[in-house]
Amino acid sequence: MFSAARQTALRQARSSCMRPRVTAPLSRDVAIARLLSTLAVLEQNDGKLNMSSLAAVSAAMKLGGSVTGFVAGSNIKAVADEAAKVEGLEKIIYVDNAAYDRGLPENFAPLLVENIKKGDFTHVFAGHSAFGKNLMPRVAAMLDVQQISDITDIESEDTFVRPIYAGNAILTVQTSDSPKIVTIRGTAFPSGAAQGGSASVEEGVDPKVESLTEWISEDLATSDRPDLATAEKVVSGGRGLKSKEEFDRIMPPLADALGAAIGASRAAVDSGFADNSLQVGQTGKNVAPQLYLCAGISGAIQHLAGMKDSKVIAAINKDADAPIFQIADVGLVGDLFDKVPELTEKLKA
Amino acid sequence: MSGLRILVPVKRVIDYAVKPRVNKAQTAVETTGVKHSMNPFDELSIEEAVRMRERKAPVEDILAFSAGPTKSQDILRTAMAMGADRALHVVEEKTELEPLSVAKILKKVVEDENRNLVILGKQSIDDDANQTGQMLAGLLGWAQATSASKVEIDGDTCTVTREVDGGVETLRAKLPMIITTDLRLNEPRYASLPNIMKAKKKPLVKKTMEDYGIDLTKRLKTVKVTEPPPRQGGGKVDDVDGMISKLKELGAL
């Protein structure tokens, strides 16, 4: 009884000082914080650290306790050394083996499980990216843990906040599992700084499990625009653009005028106007930029799920009753084929 | 070469077009009197299994599965009207099952029914967890291909194109395996009236949790469910100049 009461009191004390979005440990109880140890699973592509995966580090710093980074792949030492400079990391565990380059869960999951067990971590954090979504539930099942997906806030070491029903409800959930396996919504935590840190670098264990799947090829949309998930500004087009030709004629100049990434609604993607990887919404990407400017998007709940945390939302739509206007900070009723080019010209001027 | 013995798990969820409301006690989303349907991603799974048969892949049978309240049998009938051969329903009225528990039941079903391909939706639109397929693959030690947008079966080799951040990647694996479906995979068919009638005659087996002997103790406790902070629209402007000046005022430009 006593310990349960103390736990609750502790949790309240901790959550009361958790509110501000800072990366410093939020626990004032240093003794407890010291017992927490988080493994942050970092991503790398072709020998480069994926900066958006550092949100897992920021989330771990918010939790408090020690934070260890984990990377695996071929010639990984350079990535490990780069990750060692990430602020907040105490240690980097790396496993140098080309078998892990593609992040295939069939061999990456046993690799993580071995390293989690060896390090005796209380928490394992990874980004809720394609990589994290694919890998972490497999890891969780192997450890007999019920994972918590796509969290947007941390209340205490066992209590997390996550959106459900396409963001129409916010669930606060407490877990009794150990270790706690959690994936992090990147836009809900600061992206982390790749400097100022000086972590030690250490080799991890490699169980060398063969992957059951063979990686054949990839086809990534190349773009010199900012990455959609992390861009400061996003311009997004919907079905109102009518065709791929019009999408390609109207949206890129506006994006360039603003230095923005391009997104699209599911309707635009399904109609073939834009690539799948540009889809914003419940089943696409979640974005939370400073400015989300959309044209020809009505504002279905599945779309709003992916962008309603944007700081400022601006909308151009010819239907004055479109639901998007209920949440837009700035709405302009008009034909996007006139208004968007005019806006592009005036922004350039 | 072995035939495909496909398992398609489906989940009954609040219809995607309904805006969910949080109950007064802030313990859950209100579900009584709300329209429910098959999880949209699960429709894609059924459709893909049926298309495999139509493309002359050696499909032995397609088993639709659901765990949950009695009402879930409606969506199992829908699955059979779309082309599944038979259905298995694990009746569970009391608890809402967590993905790990569902994965554990599915593992037993896979073993009991000698399945070699499981096609699941990538996520259900209620809890948005995106876990069950991966967990099942982990428990079975099978290959997995998640968020599939294209599946090709050649003998016992399966080539899957999957949606990843920034594009697609292609994987190949031998059966048995787990596939989870993404929106681009196909366009699910509507069940025709004759097929709905025929589906009523297809076998639907009911079991209980006790039949599987799985510990259903919940690992997660709901502390509370709240409405997200409402976002207030800032009103409309008359022209492009108005929009630019308002955006500047808000510090977005």
Side-chain angles (χ1 to χ4, degrees):
Chain A
M1 267 320 276
F2 171 71
S3 71
R6 195 180 59 170
Q7 277 272 333
T8 315
L10 244 178
R11 191 168 298 127
Q12 278 166 356
R14 301 173 101 223
S15 51
S16 64
C17 58
M18 297 276 291
R19 282 293 126 215
R21 259 175 69 155
V22 291
T23 49
L26 286 142
S27 167
R28 292 207 183 119
D29 197 305
V30 180
I32 292 281
R34 202 176 289 145
L35 299 174
L36 302 176
S37 62
T38 304
L39 186 69
V41 184
L42 306 179
E43 297 175 39
Q44 62 104 13
N45 312 87
D46 300 325
K48 284 188 82 173
L49 188 64
N50 180 339
M51 298 308 286
S52 58
S53 69
L54 298 188
V57 178
S58 313
M61 286 167 72
K62 182 163 181 170
L63 179 74
S66 72
V67 191
T68 301
F70 182 88
V71 284
S74 53
N75 301 319
I76 201 72
K77 190 64 171 39
V79 181
D81 289 338
E82 192 188 345
K85 298 195 188 82
V86 171
E87 190 188 347
L89 285 171
E90 278 181 22
K91 187 163 82 176
I92 306 293
I93 296 175
Y94 71 94
V95 174
D96 191 330
N97 183 341
Y100 303 120
D101 277 348
R102 298 295 171 181
L104 298 171
E106 291 83 354
N107 60 4
F108 212 113
L111 169 74
L112 262 183
V113 167
E114 286 300 310
N115 284 283
I116 291 165
K117 282 183 180 162
K118 187 184 169 216
D120 206 14
F121 296 98
T122 58
H123 294 71
V124 183
F125 284 4
H128 194 67
S129 58
F131 170 80
K133 281 189 256 192
N134 194 24
L135 171 69
M136 298 312 288
R138 191 170 178 119
V139 172
M142 291 170 78
L143 291 167
D144 196 29
V145 165
Q146 176 53 57
Q147 172 182 317
I148 302 176
S149 293
D150 202 21
I151 65 154
T152 52
D153 205 356
I154 298 171
E155 292 231 324
S156 72
E157 60 101 8
D158 64 356
T159 307
F160 303 90
V161 179
R162 58 181 300 262
I164 53 174
Y165 288 92
N168 282 292
I170 307 297
L171 168 70
T172 305
V173 70
Q174 188 181 358
T175 173
S176 52
D177 275 330
S178 183
K180 297 169 201 339
I181 300 205
V182 177
T183 61
I184 310 292
R185 176 172 293 200
T187 54
F189 293 88
S191 52
Q195 52 197 8
S198 55
S200 61
V201 175
E202 171 181 305
E203 205 162 352
V205 286
D206 187 354
K208 294 200 173 78
V209 175
E210 289 266 337
S211 178
L212 299 161
T213 51
E214 181 193 355
W215 186 89
I216 306 291
S217 63
E218 72 183 355
D219 183 10
L220 299 183
T222 49
S223 170
D224 39 18
R225 295 205 177 82
D227 177 49
L228 178 59
T230 53
E232 291 260 303
K233 291 172 184 162
V234 173
V235 298
S236 199
R239 203 202 300 268
L241 282 149
K242 295 206 166 70
S243 70
K244 178 166 170 44
E245 290 68 37
E246 294 293 328
F247 194 100
D248 290 344
R249 185 174 69 84
I250 303 251
M251 298 310 290
L254 176 63
D256 292 339
L258 284 165
I262 297 182
S265 70
R266 181 181 162 195
V269 171
D270 278 354
S271 309
F273 303 175
D275 191 75
N276 300 340
S277 59
L278 302 187
Q279 187 186 322
V280 172
Q282 183 184 19
T283 57
K285 289 208 170 61
N286 283 295
V287 300
Q290 294 293 314
L291 171 63
Y292 188 83
L293 205 170
C294 58
I297 290 181
S298 64
I301 53 175
Q302 293 81 12
H303 186 74
L304 302 185
M307 46 66 85
K308 66 182 173 178
D309 294 328
S310 306
K311 190 120 187 296
V312 175
I313 296 173
I316 300 176
N317 202 304
K318 66 180 177 192
D319 175 9
D321 296 324
I324 190 78
F325 288 126
Q326 289 165 22
I327 64 153
D329 299 290
V330 191
L332 176 59
V333 180
D335 186 349
L336 70 92
F337 293 106
D338 299 331
K339 302 297 181 192
V340 175
E342 187 189 340
L343 178 62
T344 306
E345 282 312 307
K346 288 187 169 157
L347 286 170
K348 273 197 266 181
Chain B
M1 191 185 73
S2 59
L4 296 171
R5 297 177 302 276
I6 307 175
L7 173 65
V8 185
V10 296
K11 184 176 184 183
R12 179 177 176 269
V13 298
I14 292 182
D15 190 87
Y16 75 94
V18 174
K19 187 173 162 44
R21 304 253 170 239
V22 172
N23 67 12
K24 283 220 169 63
Q26 297 202 327
T27 53
V29 163
E30 198 62 70
T31 53
T32 45
V34 177
K35 186 187 177 199
H36 283 65
S37 310
M38 190 190 298
N39 180 41
F41 292 98
D42 302 342
E43 294 183 359
L44 299 162
S45 316
I46 294 277
E47 178 66 29
E48 193 62 20
V50 175
R51 285 191 192 190
M52 282 176 185
R53 171 179 280 153
E54 289 169 351
R55 286 195 300 254
K56 307 282 182 237
V59 175
E60 271 182 37
D61 80 326
I62 302 168
L63 171 63
F65 168 92
S66 195
T70 311
K71 284 180 178 157
S72 306
Q73 286 165 18
D74 296 350
I75 63 160
L76 286 172
R77 291 286 171 203
T78 307
M80 290 191 284
M82 290 173 72
D85 301 302
R86 57 197 179 96
L88 174 59
H89 181 215
V90 174
V91 185
E92 175 55 48
E93 302 282 354
K94 295 187 291 290
T95 27
E96 208 158 299
L97 299 165
E98 293 173 349
L100 184 63
S101 308
V102 176
K104 286 178 179 175
I105 301 165
L106 286 172
K107 176 174 186 276
K108 296 224 166 177
V109 173
V110 163
E111 289 162 354
D112 291 353
E113 300 278 346
N114 188 25
R115 301 288 100 182
N116 59 6
L117 177 63
V118 188
I119 310 178
L120 307 90
K122 77 164 176 183
Q123 75 192 63
S124 65
I125 60 165
D126 51 1
D127 68 3
D128 283 332
N130 194 331
Q131 298 174 0
T132 308
Q134 297 88 310
M135 287 182 154
L136 177 60
L139 294 177
L140 287 164
W142 287 10
Q144 71 183 56
T146 54
S147 300
S149 57
K150 192 176 175 196
V151 178
E152 286 168 294
I153 305 266
D154 180 17
D156 61 354
T157 304
C158 195
T159 307
V160 180
T161 302
R162 53 185 300 266
E163 307 268 328
V164 295
D165 297 337
V168 294
E169 71 175 12
T170 304
L171 304 173
R172 189 179 296 150
K174 287 213 184 307
L175 297 176
M177 76 179 297
I178 307 285
I179 294 172
T180 74
T181 59
D182 209 331
L183 282 172
R184 247 68 54 181
L185 182 60
N186 59 45
E187 185 103 7
R189 69 195 62 194
Y190 289 101
S192 68
L193 189 58
N195 285 341
I196 291 171
M197 300 313 286
K198 271 184 223 159
K200 290 187 176 168
K201 298 205 176 72
K202 290 184 178 177
L204 192 160
V205 174
K206 284 165 226 167
K207 292 203 172 185
T208 63
M209 282 302 164
E210 289 72 38
D211 295 331
Y212 292 95
I214 289 164
D215 176 18
L216 287 180
T217 313
K218 289 189 109 176
R219 311 295 186 83
L220 305 183
K221 191 180 116 201
T222 298
V223 178
K224 65 177 178 202
V225 179
T226 54
E227 299 265 0
R231 201 179 164 112
Q232 284 295 329
K236 291 174 185 140
V237 292
D238 296 327
D239 52 22
V240 168
D241 291 322
M243 178 172 248
I244 291 174
S245 58
K246 185 84 184 284
L247 288 176
K248 283 192 173 144
E249 198 181 298
L250 293 167
L253 286 181

